[in-house]
Short mmCIF file of all heavy atoms in Angstrom, two decimals:
data_model
loop_
_atom_site.label_atom_id
_atom_site.label_comp_id
_atom_site.label_asym_id
_atom_site.label_seq_id
_atom_site.Cartn_x
_atom_site.Cartn_y
_atom_site.Cartn_z
N ALA A 17 34.40 67.67 13.52
CA ALA A 17 34.53 67.45 12.08
C ALA A 17 34.40 68.75 11.30
O ALA A 17 34.68 68.78 10.11
CB ALA A 17 33.48 66.44 11.61
N GLY A 18 33.98 69.83 11.97
CA GLY A 18 33.80 71.11 11.30
C GLY A 18 32.59 71.14 10.40
O GLY A 18 32.53 71.92 9.45
N LEU A 19 31.60 70.30 10.70
CA LEU A 19 30.43 70.18 9.84
C LEU A 19 29.12 70.50 10.55
O LEU A 19 28.06 70.00 10.18
CB LEU A 19 30.38 68.77 9.23
CG LEU A 19 31.51 68.49 8.25
CD1 LEU A 19 31.61 67.00 7.93
CD2 LEU A 19 31.32 69.30 6.97
N SER A 20 29.18 71.35 11.56
CA SER A 20 27.95 71.73 12.27
C SER A 20 27.41 73.05 11.72
O SER A 20 28.13 73.81 11.07
CB SER A 20 28.23 71.86 13.76
OG SER A 20 29.17 72.88 14.01
N PHE A 21 26.12 73.26 11.94
CA PHE A 21 25.50 74.54 11.59
C PHE A 21 24.39 74.84 12.59
O PHE A 21 23.88 73.95 13.27
CB PHE A 21 24.98 74.54 10.14
CG PHE A 21 23.70 73.77 9.93
CD1 PHE A 21 22.47 74.43 9.86
CD2 PHE A 21 23.71 72.39 9.79
CE1 PHE A 21 21.29 73.73 9.67
CE2 PHE A 21 22.54 71.69 9.60
CZ PHE A 21 21.32 72.35 9.53
N ASP A 22 24.04 76.10 12.69
CA ASP A 22 23.01 76.53 13.63
C ASP A 22 21.64 76.25 13.04
O ASP A 22 21.21 76.91 12.10
CB ASP A 22 23.16 78.02 13.94
CG ASP A 22 22.13 78.53 14.94
OD1 ASP A 22 21.31 77.74 15.44
OD2 ASP A 22 22.16 79.74 15.23
N ALA A 23 20.96 75.27 13.60
CA ALA A 23 19.61 74.91 13.15
C ALA A 23 18.59 75.22 14.23
O ALA A 23 17.50 74.64 14.25
CB ALA A 23 19.56 73.44 12.78
N SER A 24 18.93 76.14 15.12
CA SER A 24 18.05 76.42 16.26
C SER A 24 16.67 76.92 15.84
O SER A 24 15.69 76.68 16.54
CB SER A 24 18.71 77.39 17.24
OG SER A 24 19.05 78.60 16.58
N GLY A 25 16.57 77.58 14.70
CA GLY A 25 15.27 78.07 14.25
C GLY A 25 14.29 76.98 13.92
O GLY A 25 13.08 77.13 14.11
N LEU A 26 14.76 75.83 13.46
CA LEU A 26 13.88 74.74 13.06
C LEU A 26 14.01 73.52 13.97
O LEU A 26 13.02 72.93 14.37
CB LEU A 26 14.17 74.33 11.61
CG LEU A 26 13.33 73.20 11.04
CD1 LEU A 26 11.85 73.59 10.99
CD2 LEU A 26 13.81 72.85 9.63
N LEU A 27 15.24 73.15 14.30
CA LEU A 27 15.47 71.91 15.03
C LEU A 27 15.92 72.13 16.48
O LEU A 27 16.17 71.17 17.19
CB LEU A 27 16.51 71.06 14.29
CG LEU A 27 16.11 70.65 12.87
CD1 LEU A 27 17.26 69.94 12.17
CD2 LEU A 27 14.87 69.78 12.88
N GLY A 28 16.04 73.38 16.89
CA GLY A 28 16.28 73.67 18.30
C GLY A 28 17.71 73.75 18.76
O GLY A 28 17.96 74.15 19.89
N ASN A 29 18.67 73.34 17.94
CA ASN A 29 20.07 73.41 18.37
C ASN A 29 21.00 73.31 17.16
O ASN A 29 20.55 73.35 16.02
CB ASN A 29 20.39 72.31 19.39
CG ASN A 29 20.16 70.91 18.86
OD1 ASN A 29 19.76 70.70 17.72
ND2 ASN A 29 20.42 69.92 19.69
N THR A 30 22.28 73.18 17.43
CA THR A 30 23.27 73.00 16.38
C THR A 30 23.14 71.58 15.84
O THR A 30 23.00 70.63 16.62
CB THR A 30 24.68 73.25 16.93
OG1 THR A 30 24.74 74.59 17.41
CG2 THR A 30 25.73 73.06 15.86
N ARG A 31 23.17 71.44 14.53
CA ARG A 31 23.03 70.13 13.89
C ARG A 31 24.15 69.91 12.88
O ARG A 31 24.95 70.79 12.61
CB ARG A 31 21.68 70.04 13.17
CG ARG A 31 20.48 70.11 14.07
CD ARG A 31 20.42 68.93 15.04
NE ARG A 31 19.28 69.02 15.91
CZ ARG A 31 18.29 68.14 15.95
NH1 ARG A 31 18.29 67.11 15.16
NH2 ARG A 31 17.29 68.32 16.80
N SER A 32 24.14 68.72 12.30
CA SER A 32 25.14 68.35 11.31
C SER A 32 24.71 68.75 9.92
O SER A 32 23.53 68.62 9.56
CB SER A 32 25.33 66.82 11.33
OG SER A 32 26.20 66.41 10.30
N GLN A 33 25.66 69.21 9.14
CA GLN A 33 25.41 69.35 7.71
C GLN A 33 25.19 67.94 7.17
O GLN A 33 25.60 66.95 7.78
CB GLN A 33 26.62 69.98 7.01
CG GLN A 33 26.86 71.42 7.39
CD GLN A 33 28.11 71.96 6.70
OE1 GLN A 33 28.52 71.50 5.65
NE2 GLN A 33 28.72 72.97 7.31
N ARG A 34 24.56 67.84 6.02
CA ARG A 34 24.36 66.53 5.40
C ARG A 34 25.62 66.21 4.59
O ARG A 34 26.00 66.96 3.70
CB ARG A 34 23.13 66.54 4.49
CG ARG A 34 22.78 65.17 3.93
CD ARG A 34 21.51 65.22 3.10
NE ARG A 34 20.42 65.93 3.72
CZ ARG A 34 19.65 65.44 4.71
NH1 ARG A 34 19.87 64.23 5.17
NH2 ARG A 34 18.68 66.18 5.22
N TYR A 35 26.27 65.10 4.93
CA TYR A 35 27.50 64.73 4.24
C TYR A 35 27.68 63.21 4.24
O TYR A 35 27.04 62.50 5.02
CB TYR A 35 28.73 65.38 4.89
CG TYR A 35 29.06 64.85 6.27
CD1 TYR A 35 29.96 63.79 6.43
CD2 TYR A 35 28.47 65.38 7.41
CE1 TYR A 35 30.26 63.29 7.68
CE2 TYR A 35 28.76 64.88 8.67
CZ TYR A 35 29.65 63.84 8.80
OH TYR A 35 29.94 63.32 10.05
N VAL A 36 28.54 62.75 3.38
CA VAL A 36 28.97 61.34 3.37
C VAL A 36 30.48 61.35 3.20
O VAL A 36 31.00 61.97 2.27
CB VAL A 36 28.32 60.54 2.22
CG1 VAL A 36 28.86 59.11 2.20
CG2 VAL A 36 26.80 60.54 2.34
N ALA A 37 31.16 60.70 4.11
CA ALA A 37 32.61 60.56 4.03
C ALA A 37 32.96 59.10 3.78
O ALA A 37 32.47 58.21 4.48
CB ALA A 37 33.27 61.04 5.32
N VAL A 38 33.79 58.87 2.78
CA VAL A 38 34.34 57.55 2.51
C VAL A 38 35.67 57.51 3.26
O VAL A 38 36.58 58.29 2.96
CB VAL A 38 34.56 57.31 1.00
CG1 VAL A 38 35.13 55.92 0.75
CG2 VAL A 38 33.27 57.54 0.22
N VAL A 39 35.77 56.63 4.25
CA VAL A 39 36.94 56.58 5.12
C VAL A 39 37.63 55.23 4.97
O VAL A 39 36.97 54.19 4.94
CB VAL A 39 36.52 56.79 6.60
CG1 VAL A 39 37.73 56.71 7.53
CG2 VAL A 39 35.79 58.11 6.77
N GLU A 40 38.93 55.29 4.87
CA GLU A 40 39.72 54.06 4.85
C GLU A 40 40.89 54.21 5.80
O GLU A 40 41.68 55.15 5.67
CB GLU A 40 40.21 53.73 3.44
CG GLU A 40 40.86 52.37 3.35
CD GLU A 40 41.04 51.88 1.92
OE1 GLU A 40 40.81 52.65 0.97
OE2 GLU A 40 41.42 50.72 1.77
N ASN A 41 40.95 53.31 6.78
CA ASN A 41 42.01 53.33 7.79
C ASN A 41 42.19 54.72 8.39
O ASN A 41 43.29 55.25 8.44
CB ASN A 41 43.32 52.78 7.20
CG ASN A 41 43.16 51.34 6.77
OD1 ASN A 41 42.49 50.55 7.44
ND2 ASN A 41 43.75 51.00 5.65
N ASN A 42 41.08 55.31 8.81
CA ASN A 42 41.00 56.59 9.52
C ASN A 42 41.31 57.81 8.66
O ASN A 42 41.44 58.91 9.16
CB ASN A 42 41.91 56.58 10.76
CG ASN A 42 41.55 57.69 11.73
OD1 ASN A 42 40.38 58.04 11.89
ND2 ASN A 42 42.54 58.26 12.37
N THR A 43 41.42 57.65 7.35
CA THR A 43 41.67 58.78 6.46
C THR A 43 40.51 58.94 5.50
O THR A 43 40.07 57.96 4.89
CB THR A 43 42.99 58.58 5.67
OG1 THR A 43 44.07 58.44 6.60
CG2 THR A 43 43.27 59.76 4.75
N VAL A 44 40.03 60.17 5.36
CA VAL A 44 38.93 60.45 4.45
C VAL A 44 39.44 60.36 3.01
O VAL A 44 40.35 61.10 2.62
CB VAL A 44 38.31 61.85 4.72
CG1 VAL A 44 37.22 62.17 3.71
CG2 VAL A 44 37.77 61.92 6.15
N GLN A 45 38.88 59.45 2.25
CA GLN A 45 39.25 59.27 0.84
C GLN A 45 38.45 60.20 -0.07
O GLN A 45 38.97 60.74 -1.03
CB GLN A 45 39.01 57.82 0.42
CG GLN A 45 39.77 56.81 1.26
CD GLN A 45 41.27 56.99 1.17
OE1 GLN A 45 41.83 57.08 0.09
NE2 GLN A 45 41.93 57.06 2.31
N GLN A 46 37.16 60.34 0.24
CA GLN A 46 36.26 61.22 -0.50
C GLN A 46 35.24 61.76 0.49
O GLN A 46 34.90 61.09 1.46
CB GLN A 46 35.48 60.45 -1.58
CG GLN A 46 36.30 59.89 -2.71
CD GLN A 46 35.44 59.03 -3.62
OE1 GLN A 46 35.10 57.91 -3.26
NE2 GLN A 46 35.08 59.54 -4.78
N ILE A 47 34.73 62.95 0.21
CA ILE A 47 33.65 63.48 1.04
C ILE A 47 32.69 64.25 0.14
O ILE A 47 33.11 64.94 -0.79
CB ILE A 47 34.16 64.34 2.22
CG1 ILE A 47 33.01 64.71 3.15
CG2 ILE A 47 34.95 65.53 1.74
CD1 ILE A 47 33.44 65.15 4.53
N PHE A 48 31.43 64.06 0.42
CA PHE A 48 30.35 64.69 -0.34
C PHE A 48 29.52 65.49 0.65
O PHE A 48 29.06 64.93 1.65
CB PHE A 48 29.50 63.63 -1.03
CG PHE A 48 30.32 62.64 -1.82
CD1 PHE A 48 30.78 61.47 -1.24
CD2 PHE A 48 30.66 62.91 -3.14
CE1 PHE A 48 31.56 60.56 -1.96
CE2 PHE A 48 31.43 62.01 -3.87
CZ PHE A 48 31.88 60.84 -3.27
N ILE A 49 29.35 66.79 0.40
CA ILE A 49 28.64 67.66 1.33
C ILE A 49 27.57 68.43 0.57
O ILE A 49 27.85 69.03 -0.48
CB ILE A 49 29.60 68.66 2.02
CG1 ILE A 49 30.74 67.92 2.72
CG2 ILE A 49 28.84 69.56 2.99
CD1 ILE A 49 31.85 68.81 3.25
N GLU A 50 26.36 68.42 1.11
CA GLU A 50 25.28 69.19 0.50
C GLU A 50 25.47 70.68 0.76
O GLU A 50 25.95 71.07 1.82
CB GLU A 50 23.92 68.75 1.07
CG GLU A 50 23.54 67.32 0.78
CD GLU A 50 23.24 67.02 -0.69
OE1 GLU A 50 23.14 67.96 -1.51
OE2 GLU A 50 23.09 65.84 -1.00
N ASP A 51 25.06 71.50 -0.21
CA ASP A 51 25.13 72.95 -0.05
C ASP A 51 24.16 73.44 1.02
O ASP A 51 24.43 74.39 1.73
CB ASP A 51 24.83 73.66 -1.37
CG ASP A 51 25.93 73.47 -2.40
OD1 ASP A 51 27.08 73.21 -2.00
OD2 ASP A 51 25.63 73.57 -3.60
N GLU A 52 23.00 72.78 1.12
CA GLU A 52 21.99 73.14 2.11
C GLU A 52 21.47 71.86 2.74
O GLU A 52 21.26 70.85 2.06
CB GLU A 52 20.84 73.90 1.45
CG GLU A 52 21.27 75.26 0.91
CD GLU A 52 20.11 76.02 0.30
OE1 GLU A 52 18.94 75.73 0.63
OE2 GLU A 52 20.37 76.91 -0.52
N ALA A 53 21.23 71.90 4.06
CA ALA A 53 20.85 70.71 4.82
C ALA A 53 19.63 69.96 4.27
O ALA A 53 19.63 68.72 4.27
CB ALA A 53 20.61 71.07 6.28
#
């Protein structure tokens, strides 16, 4: 999804950015992504 980040300093590995995707029939209609996890 292209939404990973290196969180090894705190969480030990690569993690997901915080986001919400509104999906309809496999297409993203809207997406909301936080600037910082």
Side-chain angles (χ1 to χ4, degrees):
L19 292 167
S20 62
F21 76 100
D22 181 2
S24 58
L26 180 63
L27 300 174
N29 60 359
T30 300
R31 296 296 179 118
S32 174
Q33 293 178 25
R34 186 177 313 283
Y35 69 93
V36 177
V38 180
V39 179
E40 188 165 9
N41 298 322
N42 197 36
T43 301
V44 176
Q45 302 298 310
Q46 294 174 285
I47 188 162
F48 309 91
I49 304 172
E50 297 291 351
D51 291 336
E52 294 182 22

